[in-house]
Amino acid sequence: MYFDFIGKRKWWYALSLLVIIPGLIAMVLHRPFLNYGIDFTGGNILEVKFHQTVNTAQVREVMDSLNLNQSSIQESGANEFLIRSKELDDNQVKQVTGALQSKLGQMEVIRNDHVGAVIGRELEIKALEAMALAWVLMIIYITLRFGDFLSGLTAILALVHDVLVVTGFFAFFRWEVDSGFVAALLTIIGYSVHDTIVIYDRVRENLRLRKRETFEEIVNKSINQTLRRSINTVVTVLIPLVALLVLGGESTKGLALAMLIGTISGCYSSIFNASPLWVDLRRLTRERHRQAAISKTAVKMENEAATKGKARKATPH
């Protein structure tokens, strides 16, 4: 089966915008734009064990009554709960344990740890700087490898697309962002650019073999030739991610969810965005060069005509 990826590229761009724009709007409307977990903000981890049967909903109800409804509550064993909350002082911890004991019965505190912000503001900035530097180096590498700056630029645009999709989903649904989210983003960037380079490699090979075909035809043919490989690769990655999401528990849910969205987005952008953008930017660049050449020729002809006209006037009859 042969698909016309390049001919329908405007539909793929529209679909990407349809996914990205709600996330961008959510980021603009919310402050902070992401729901940062205690890895970013710091907080308390309180582990308690009840002597009688208690469920998560009951613990949640008590925490809500104390205006701690943003707390994460995870059942860690039989009648044992791990409560991750915002930063609490000693008096607030006593209020929480007192309320749990008075409303839900006898219990003991297994641990109460204050957790500082693992990912501080400075680390966030350094991570962004490192990502920007990595993108610049990727542009240089891909440009040198394929002999075209636009190939590097479009590969990075596909990566930006993937980052926006994942971040947009987390901003829109207000899913908690922790250190696993950062690790997932970095992994997604590596996966996505790898998939894009596989397609670009095939484009380069076909450019040598099919010199009579247009660039658009070659790119379309290259995507079709690598399509099965791209789908097989993403399916094999998705299977363990789905298993991790379903069976991995609360602690790995954010990582698995970000990886799942990013892997699908990375596969999509490699096929439907990176290569079509390369075609469009190359066509745009060539059209500008052609227009510039036409303008230059027209100016040259006008100058020559003007020169000839002056020469005729200066010639005595």
Side-chain angles (χ1 to χ4, degrees):
M1 190 175 292
Y2 190 83
F3 295 96
D4 184 12
F5 293 101
I6 300 302
K8 294 180 172 55
R9 59 189 181 279
K10 290 182 180 177
W11 289 101
W12 317 138
Y13 297 157
L15 183 58
S16 291
L17 291 174
L18 200 63
V19 174
I20 290 173
I21 287 176
L24 291 176
I25 293 174
M27 283 188 256
V28 171
L29 294 179
H30 291 106
R31 289 290 178 275
F33 71 97
L34 288 173
N35 179 21
Y36 291 117
I38 63 173
D39 287 346
F40 288 87
T41 62
N44 278 60
I45 295 180
L46 186 65
E47 189 170 5
V48 297
K49 181 177 183 179
F50 292 92
H51 294 174
Q52 57 285 325
T53 304
V54 173
N55 59 43
T56 305
Q58 291 174 297
V59 179
R60 167 68 63 192
E61 187 177 347
V62 174
M63 297 302 290
D64 289 350
S65 69
L66 298 171
N67 293 324
L68 295 171
N69 49 350
Q70 297 296 323
S71 302
S72 166
I73 301 169
Q74 180 185 356
E75 191 167 356
S76 56
N79 299 317
E80 291 183 17
F81 296 91
L82 198 63
I83 303 171
R84 294 151 58 99
S85 70
K86 67 179 184 180
E87 190 172 359
L88 304 174
D89 57 29
D90 291 340
N91 289 331
Q92 290 172 314
V93 172
K94 287 179 182 177
Q95 283 182 356
V96 171
T97 55
L100 289 170
Q101 191 152 308
S102 64
K103 295 182 180 179
L104 302 179
Q106 194 67 26
M107 68 160 207
E108 59 180 300
V109 177
I110 298 175
R111 68 168 168 143
N112 173 32
D113 295 333
H114 173 74
V115 182
V118 177
I119 303 177
R121 183 64 181 162
E122 185 179 350
L123 189 55
E124 279 184 71
I125 294 171
K126 286 188 178 298
L128 291 174
E129 290 174 348
M131 188 180 294
L133 178 62
W135 284 352
V136 170
L137 293 176
M138 282 182 190
I139 288 179
I140 294 172
Y141 168 72
I142 297 171
T143 300
L144 292 175
R145 180 165 174 172
F146 297 101
D148 186 353
F149 170 74
L150 296 178
S151 63
L153 180 62
T154 50
I156 299 306
L157 289 176
L159 293 183
V160 173
H161 166 278
D162 301 334
V163 171
L164 288 177
V165 168
V166 178
T167 309
F169 266 94
F170 273 73
F172 187 83
F173 292 104
R174 304 305 292 165
W175 291 329
E176 186 176 294
V177 172
D178 55 17
S179 55
F181 176 81
V182 178
L185 278 186
L186 296 175
T187 308
I188 290 161
I189 289 172
Y191 170 81
S192 179
V193 76
H194 172 74
D195 211 26
T196 302
I197 284 177
V198 168
I199 298 174
Y200 284 5
D201 265 332
R202 184 56 60 92
V203 172
R204 183 175 57 177
E205 291 171 9
N206 286 333
L207 279 171
R208 294 172 185 161
L209 300 173
R210 304 174 185 275
K211 295 185 178 179
R212 292 185 177 180
E213 297 180 15
T214 65
F215 186 67
E216 289 85 347
E217 291 170 339
I218 288 175
V219 171
N220 201 60
K221 190 165 289 181
S222 302
I223 296 174
N224 276 281
Q225 289 171 346
T226 55
L227 185 62
R228 180 175 294 178
R229 178 200 175 280
S230 298
I231 292 174
N232 289 340
T233 302
V234 75
V235 169
T236 54
V237 175
L238 289 181
I239 290 172
L241 288 176
V242 171
L244 184 63
L245 184 63
V246 175
L247 305 173
E250 194 68 25
S251 58
T252 57
K253 186 176 179 181
L255 171 69
L257 198 56
M259 284 288 297
L260 190 68
I261 297 169
T263 302
I264 295 172
S265 174
C267 181
Y268 177 87
S269 66
S270 299
I271 297 171
F272 296 98
N273 292 143
S275 301
L277 276 174
W278 191 9
V279 170
D280 276 333
L281 291 182
R282 186 176 165 122
R283 177 184 287 179
L284 187 64
T285 304
R286 292 196 167 188
E287 181 64 21
R288 284 187 175 178
H289 287 162
R290 193 178 70 84
Q291 292 293 338
I294 291 172
S295 300
K296 189 175 179 181
T297 304
V299 170
K300 185 178 179 182
M301 291 175 67
E302 286 178 4
N303 290 337
E304 288 176 354
T307 304
K308 289 179 180 177
K310 288 179 182 177
R312 288 195 197 100
K313 288 180 182 178
T315 303
H317 295 286

